[in-house]
Amino acid sequence: MAPKSDSAEAIVLNFVNEQNKPVNTQNVADALQKFNLKKAAIQKALDNLADGGRISFKEYGKQKIYLARQDQFQIPNNEELNQMKEQNADMQKQLEDQKKAISEVEAEIKSLQSNLTLEQIFEREVNLRLEVQEMEEKLTKLRGGVTLVKPEERKAVEGMLSEIIGHWRKRKRMFKDLWDTLTENSPKDPKQFKEELGIEYDEDVGVSLQSYNDLIQHGKKRPRGQ
Protein backbone atom coordinates (compact mmCIF):
# COMPACT_ATOMS: atom_id res chain seq x y z
CA MET A 1 0.00 0.00 0.00
CA ALA A 2 1.41 3.35 -1.01
CA PRO A 3 1.88 5.92 1.78
CA LYS A 4 -0.42 8.96 1.91
CA SER A 5 1.00 12.00 0.09
CA ASP A 6 1.15 14.08 3.26
CA SER A 7 2.57 11.36 5.49
CA ALA A 8 6.19 11.29 6.65
CA GLU A 9 6.89 8.23 4.52
CA ALA A 10 5.51 9.89 1.38
CA ILE A 11 7.54 13.06 1.97
CA VAL A 12 10.72 11.06 2.62
CA LEU A 13 10.14 8.74 -0.36
CA ASN A 14 9.58 11.69 -2.68
CA PHE A 15 12.78 13.34 -1.44
CA VAL A 16 14.93 10.20 -1.84
CA ASN A 17 13.60 9.60 -5.36
CA GLU A 18 14.16 13.24 -6.38
CA GLN A 19 17.73 13.24 -5.07
CA ASN A 20 18.55 9.83 -6.57
CA LYS A 21 21.85 9.72 -4.70
CA PRO A 22 23.03 8.07 -1.47
CA VAL A 23 21.75 9.83 1.67
CA ASN A 24 21.77 9.18 5.40
CA THR A 25 19.22 10.09 8.05
CA GLN A 26 20.89 13.41 8.87
CA ASN A 27 20.94 14.46 5.18
CA VAL A 28 17.21 13.87 4.92
CA ALA A 29 16.46 15.58 8.25
CA ASP A 30 18.42 18.69 7.24
CA ALA A 31 16.71 18.91 3.86
CA LEU A 32 13.17 18.41 5.20
CA GLN A 33 13.23 20.89 8.09
CA LYS A 34 10.43 22.90 6.44
CA PHE A 35 8.07 19.94 7.03
CA ASN A 36 8.78 20.01 10.81
CA LEU A 37 9.65 16.30 10.80
CA LYS A 38 11.71 15.07 13.72
CA LYS A 39 14.79 12.98 13.08
CA ALA A 40 13.22 9.96 14.79
CA ALA A 41 10.18 10.13 12.50
CA ILE A 42 12.45 10.39 9.45
CA GLN A 43 14.51 7.42 10.62
CA LYS A 44 11.33 5.38 11.09
CA ALA A 45 10.06 6.36 7.65
CA LEU A 46 13.36 5.40 6.01
CA ASP A 47 13.38 2.03 7.74
CA ASN A 48 9.76 1.31 6.80
CA LEU A 49 10.42 2.26 3.17
CA ALA A 50 13.53 0.08 3.09
CA ASP A 51 11.74 -2.86 4.72
CA GLY A 52 8.87 -2.49 2.25
CA GLY A 53 11.26 -2.49 -0.72
CA ARG A 54 10.35 1.07 -1.75
CA ILE A 55 13.99 2.21 -1.43
CA SER A 56 17.35 0.47 -1.25
CA PHE A 57 19.81 0.66 1.64
CA LYS A 58 23.23 -0.56 2.69
CA GLU A 59 24.79 -0.70 6.12
CA TYR A 60 28.30 0.60 6.77
CA GLY A 61 29.04 -0.23 10.37
CA LYS A 62 26.40 1.49 12.49
CA GLN A 63 25.35 3.84 9.69
CA LYS A 64 22.72 3.13 7.04
CA ILE A 65 22.90 4.66 3.58
CA TYR A 66 19.65 4.93 1.63
CA LEU A 67 19.18 5.20 -2.13
CA ALA A 68 16.26 5.34 -4.55
CA ARG A 69 15.51 2.08 -6.35
CA GLN A 70 17.09 2.30 -9.77
CA ASP A 71 14.69 -0.12 -11.44
CA GLN A 72 11.94 2.51 -11.26
CA PHE A 73 13.83 4.87 -13.57
CA GLN A 74 13.78 4.54 -17.32
CA ILE A 75 17.35 4.42 -18.63
CA PRO A 76 17.62 6.14 -22.03
CA ASN A 77 19.40 4.41 -24.90
CA ASN A 78 22.13 6.05 -26.99
CA GLU A 79 19.66 7.58 -29.45
CA GLU A 80 17.62 9.10 -26.62
CA LEU A 81 20.78 10.38 -24.96
CA ASN A 82 21.85 12.10 -28.19
CA GLN A 83 18.41 13.69 -28.51
CA MET A 84 18.64 14.91 -24.92
CA LYS A 85 22.09 16.38 -25.60
CA GLU A 86 20.75 18.22 -28.66
CA GLN A 87 17.78 19.52 -26.67
CA ASN A 88 20.14 20.65 -23.92
CA ALA A 89 22.34 22.47 -26.47
CA ASP A 90 19.28 24.20 -27.96
CA MET A 91 18.10 25.26 -24.52
CA GLN A 92 21.56 26.59 -23.67
CA LYS A 93 21.55 28.65 -26.88
CA GLN A 94 18.07 29.99 -26.11
CA LEU A 95 19.25 30.88 -22.63
CA GLU A 96 22.25 32.78 -23.98
CA ASP A 97 20.01 34.60 -26.49
CA GLN A 98 17.65 35.56 -23.68
CA LYS A 99 20.52 36.82 -21.54
CA LYS A 100 21.81 38.88 -24.47
CA ALA A 101 18.37 40.34 -25.11
CA ILE A 102 17.96 41.21 -21.43
CA SER A 103 21.38 42.91 -21.39
CA GLU A 104 20.45 44.98 -24.45
CA VAL A 105 17.15 46.04 -22.87
CA GLU A 106 18.90 46.96 -19.60
CA ALA A 107 21.49 48.99 -21.54
CA GLU A 108 18.74 50.81 -23.43
CA ILE A 109 16.89 51.57 -20.19
CA LYS A 110 20.08 52.90 -18.63
CA SER A 111 20.72 55.05 -21.70
CA LEU A 112 17.19 56.47 -21.60
CA GLN A 113 17.51 57.23 -17.91
CA SER A 114 20.75 59.15 -18.52
CA ASN A 115 19.23 61.29 -21.30
CA LEU A 116 17.71 64.68 -20.57
CA THR A 117 13.96 65.08 -20.40
CA LEU A 118 12.21 67.47 -22.80
CA GLU A 119 11.80 70.00 -19.99
CA GLN A 120 15.50 69.77 -19.12
CA ILE A 121 16.43 70.26 -22.80
CA PHE A 122 14.35 73.46 -23.00
CA GLU A 123 15.91 74.75 -19.77
CA ARG A 124 19.39 73.96 -21.07
CA GLU A 125 18.62 75.77 -24.33
CA VAL A 126 17.48 78.92 -22.48
CA ASN A 127 20.65 78.95 -20.36
CA LEU A 128 22.87 78.49 -23.41
CA ARG A 129 21.11 81.32 -25.25
CA LEU A 130 21.69 83.62 -22.27
CA GLU A 131 25.37 82.67 -22.15
CA VAL A 132 25.75 83.31 -25.89
CA GLN A 133 24.02 86.69 -25.56
CA GLU A 134 26.32 87.68 -22.69
CA MET A 135 29.42 86.69 -24.65
CA GLU A 136 28.21 88.57 -27.74
CA GLU A 137 27.73 91.72 -25.66
CA LYS A 138 31.29 91.43 -24.32
CA LEU A 139 32.60 90.87 -27.83
CA THR A 140 30.76 93.95 -29.10
CA LYS A 141 32.33 96.08 -26.35
CA LEU A 142 35.78 94.76 -27.16
CA ARG A 143 35.33 95.47 -30.86
CA GLY A 144 34.23 99.01 -30.03
CA GLY A 145 37.43 99.62 -28.07
CA VAL A 146 35.66 99.69 -24.71
CA THR A 147 37.74 98.18 -21.93
CA LEU A 148 36.14 95.75 -19.54
CA VAL A 149 38.64 96.61 -16.79
CA LYS A 150 37.75 99.40 -14.39
CA PRO A 151 40.20 102.36 -14.34
CA GLU A 152 40.92 101.93 -10.63
CA GLU A 153 41.72 98.25 -11.17
CA ARG A 154 44.08 99.09 -14.05
CA LYS A 155 45.80 101.78 -11.96
CA ALA A 156 46.28 99.37 -9.04
CA VAL A 157 47.80 96.68 -11.30
CA GLU A 158 50.08 99.19 -13.07
CA GLY A 159 51.23 100.52 -9.71
CA MET A 160 52.04 97.04 -8.44
CA LEU A 161 53.91 96.21 -11.65
CA SER A 162 55.90 99.47 -11.49
CA GLU A 163 56.93 98.72 -7.93
CA ILE A 164 58.06 95.21 -8.84
CA ILE A 165 60.04 96.48 -11.85
CA GLY A 166 61.66 99.09 -9.58
CA HIS A 167 62.86 96.37 -7.19
CA TRP A 168 64.04 94.33 -10.15
CA ARG A 169 66.08 97.25 -11.55
CA LYS A 170 67.58 98.00 -8.11
CA ARG A 171 68.62 94.40 -7.47
CA LYS A 172 70.02 94.11 -11.00
CA ARG A 173 72.20 97.19 -10.39
CA MET A 174 73.36 95.85 -7.00
CA PHE A 175 74.33 92.53 -8.56
CA LYS A 176 76.24 94.25 -11.37
CA ASP A 177 78.26 96.35 -8.92
CA LEU A 178 79.06 93.29 -6.79
CA TRP A 179 79.92 91.15 -9.83
CA ASP A 180 82.21 93.80 -11.29
CA THR A 181 84.06 94.01 -7.97
CA LEU A 182 84.50 90.23 -7.77
CA THR A 183 85.70 89.75 -11.32
CA GLU A 184 87.82 92.89 -11.66
CA ASN A 185 90.94 91.34 -10.11
CA SER A 186 90.01 87.67 -10.60
CA PRO A 187 92.28 85.56 -12.82
CA LYS A 188 89.27 83.55 -14.01
CA ASP A 189 87.31 84.37 -17.09
CA PRO A 190 84.04 86.06 -15.95
CA LYS A 191 81.94 83.88 -18.26
CA GLN A 192 83.53 80.67 -16.98
CA PHE A 193 83.27 81.88 -13.39
CA LYS A 194 79.58 82.62 -13.92
CA GLU A 195 78.96 79.09 -15.22
CA GLU A 196 80.84 77.55 -12.27
CA LEU A 197 78.66 79.45 -9.82
CA GLY A 198 75.46 78.58 -11.73
CA ILE A 199 74.53 82.23 -12.23
CA GLU A 200 71.99 83.07 -14.95
CA TYR A 201 71.34 86.54 -16.40
CA ASP A 202 67.87 87.68 -17.38
CA GLU A 203 68.74 87.11 -21.03
CA ASP A 204 69.74 83.50 -20.26
CA VAL A 205 66.17 82.65 -19.25
CA GLY A 206 64.48 84.72 -21.99
CA VAL A 207 63.29 87.76 -20.01
CA SER A 208 64.08 91.44 -20.43
CA LEU A 209 63.71 94.22 -17.89
CA GLN A 210 63.43 96.77 -20.69
CA SER A 211 60.44 94.99 -22.29
CA TYR A 212 58.48 95.15 -19.03
CA ASN A 213 59.45 98.78 -18.56
CA ASP A 214 58.22 99.56 -22.09
CA LEU A 215 54.94 97.82 -21.26
CA ILE A 216 54.38 100.18 -18.32
CA GLN A 217 55.21 103.24 -20.41
CA HIS A 218 52.82 102.09 -23.15
CA GLY A 219 50.04 101.64 -20.61
CA LYS A 220 50.52 105.18 -19.33
CA LYS A 221 50.26 106.62 -22.85
CA ARG A 222 46.95 104.84 -23.70
CA PRO A 223 44.06 107.26 -24.30
CA ARG A 224 41.48 107.35 -21.58
CA GLY A 225 38.43 105.17 -21.93
CA GLN A 226 40.43 102.38 -23.71
Side-chain angles (χ1 to χ4, degrees):
M1 181 177 180
K4 294 181 180 180
S5 60
D6 59 346
S7 67
E9 287 186 18
I11 295 172
V12 172
L13 176 61
N14 185 58
F15 173 77
V16 173
N17 286 335
E18 284 183 350
Q19 296 298 305
N20 193 23
K21 65 180 182 180
V23 294
N24 57 26
T25 306
Q26 189 62 51
N27 297 145
V28 180
D30 291 340
L32 300 180
Q33 289 182 4
K34 62 182 179 180
F35 294 101
N36 296 321
L37 296 176
K38 295 183 179 180
K39 187 176 180 179
I42 291 175
Q43 182 66 66
K44 182 179 179 181
L46 287 168
D47 289 339
N48 288 342
L49 291 169
D51 292 342
R54 305 298 300 277
I55 61 176
S56 303
F57 78 96
K58 290 185 178 295
E59 293 190 35
Y60 296 91
K62 295 182 179 181
Q63 187 177 33
K64 289 183 178 181
I65 300 298
Y66 302 90
L67 179 66
R69 288 187 55 165
Q70 299 302 298
D71 56 5
Q72 66 179 311
F73 301 115
Q74 181 180 358
I75 301 176
N77 55 35
N78 289 337
E79 183 179 353
E80 291 172 334
L81 282 174
N82 290 332
Q83 290 178 352
M84 293 172 65
K85 288 180 180 178
E86 290 178 0
Q87 292 175 355
N88 181 62
D90 291 340
M91 293 178 67
Q92 288 292 336
K93 185 178 183 304
Q94 292 177 16
L95 178 60
E96 291 299 322
D97 291 342
Q98 290 293 328
K99 286 182 177 179
K100 184 179 179 181
I102 292 172
S103 297
E104 291 176 352
V105 172
E106 289 177 344
E108 185 174 355
I109 292 174
K110 187 176 181 180
S111 176
L112 291 173
Q113 289 176 340
S114 63
N115 290 335
L116 296 176
T117 64
L118 189 59
E119 182 180 353
Q120 290 173 327
I121 291 174
F122 286 147
E123 183 180 353
R124 184 80 176 272
E125 182 185 9
V126 171
N127 292 334
L128 289 174
R129 287 182 181 277
L130 290 174
E131 290 179 11
V132 170
Q133 183 179 353
E134 184 179 350
M135 287 188 288
E136 286 179 344
E137 290 175 355
K138 288 183 179 180
L139 183 59
T140 300
K141 291 180 180 179
L142 289 172
R143 285 172 176 170
V146 178
T147 180
L148 299 180
V149 179
K150 296 179 180 179
E152 56 269 22
E153 292 178 350
R154 175 186 294 277
K155 186 176 180 180
V157 172
E158 289 178 347
M160 186 184 302
L161 184 57
S162 296
E163 184 179 356
I164 293 172
I165 291 176
H167 287 298
W168 185 357
R169 185 182 294 106
K170 182 179 179 181
R171 292 174 183 273
K172 187 178 181 70
R173 189 182 305 112
M174 290 173 59
F175 170 77
K176 185 178 184 306
D177 293 342
L178 179 60
W179 182 252
D180 290 343
T181 302
L182 288 173
T183 58
E184 183 178 0
N185 298 317
S186 175
K188 290 187 177 182
D189 177 66
K191 184 177 180 181
Q192 182 181 358
F193 190 31
K194 177 175 77 79
E195 292 178 355
E196 290 178 359
L197 296 177
I199 296 174
E200 292 180 329
Y201 292 159
D202 295 342
E203 294 75 11
D204 296 333
V205 292
V207 295
S208 169
L209 174 61
Q210 185 60 43
S211 63
Y212 283 94
N213 188 63
D214 293 343
L215 180 63
I216 290 294
Q217 296 302 322
H218 177 70
K220 290 179 179 180
K221 294 177 181 178
R222 284 172 62 104
R224 293 184 179 180
Q226 293 194 18

